[in-house]
Amino acid sequence: VVSHWLVPSGAVGDACGSARHLAIAHGSDVRLLSSLPGGRALVRRLARRADLVYVAEALRVDGAPGRVVPMAIDVAPIARATAAEARSAARARLALDGFVVAFLGRLIHDKGVDLAIDALPAGATLIVGGDGPERASLVRRAPHGSGRGVRVLGHVIGDAKLSLLAAADALVIPSRVDGTPTVALEALVAGVPIV
């Protein structure tokens, strides 16, 4: 059994009993369990019964040994999607000009999109690819008529995600708490500077 995220998938994998279990801890799952009564005990139980893998060193839970294996990415599609001609096409498709900053991720407090909105300089556009419980408050927070633009596109995956990355002049990762976001690796492959 391979489970991504310790809750709910890791707990379900653990319930399979004697099956071999590879449990992968990504970040938000570890933070959630660390904040809940009995959550760290669940992580320690999974570490005893499964092969526990953390995607970043910072996620380790005391008493829950596991190995650290950063998430891998497929480089070829990113390189193709972010080539110079793809960049022009992506900017035209998204009707973007000027300096464009992208955010890609879940719209939760820990990801700090509010900080990115507040720090956006005049003349720049922030395109937000993602969804989550903070979406409505971020849309309300977006400046109007200030020479700064914020566009919240919602959940983007596959080619749409790569197109958004291709259109960006920079990627912003304003996280308050994070492990190793996969989007950082993707931006490095794409040659997009990270702030």
Side-chain angles (χ1 to χ4, degrees):
V1 174
V2 177
S3 60
H4 285 270
W5 290 277
L6 302 183
V7 285
S9 304
V12 171
D14 186 52
C16 291
S18 63
R20 290 184 63 201
H21 184 194
L22 173 64
I24 303 171
H26 287 274
S28 57
D29 52 345
V30 174
R31 286 190 299 281
L32 174 65
L33 287 170
S34 294
S35 70
L36 294 174
R40 289 179 182 264
L42 174 62
V43 178
R44 288 190 288 275
R45 174 188 165 98
L46 285 170
R48 287 192 307 273
R49 298 170 50 109
D51 181 10
L52 180 58
V53 175
Y54 297 99
V55 300
E57 185 69 37
L59 297 176
R60 285 188 183 274
V61 172
D62 289 339
R67 57 195 163 106
V68 175
V69 180
M71 292 296 295
I73 59 171
D74 189 358
V75 171
I78 299 168
R80 280 192 304 274
T82 56
E85 61 277 3
R87 175 178 164 74
S88 296
R91 289 175 73 91
R93 192 171 35 260
L94 293 167
L96 293 169
D97 60 3
F99 191 78
V100 176
V101 179
F103 170 87
L104 290 160
R106 193 149 181 262
L107 304 186
I108 58 174
H109 180 74
D110 285 351
K111 293 290 186 178
V113 183
D114 58 318
L115 302 173
I117 290 171
D118 292 349
L120 189 67
T125 299
L126 173 65
I127 47 176
V128 177
D131 213 339
E134 298 282 317
R135 182 178 181 163
S137 67
L138 293 171
V139 169
R140 285 191 303 274
R141 186 182 203 102
H144 300 284
S146 63
R148 302 179 298 158
V150 176
R151 291 173 47 191
V152 180
L153 304 179
H155 187 66
V156 293
I157 59 172
D159 290 343
K161 177 181 176 183
L162 295 178
S163 184
L164 196 149
L165 192 57
D169 294 299
L171 175 77
V172 64
I173 303 176
S175 300
R176 291 177 170 91
V177 178
D178 219 331
T180 304
T182 303
V183 71
L185 302 176
E186 293 167 335
L188 290 173
V189 170
V192 176
I194 302 170
V195 178

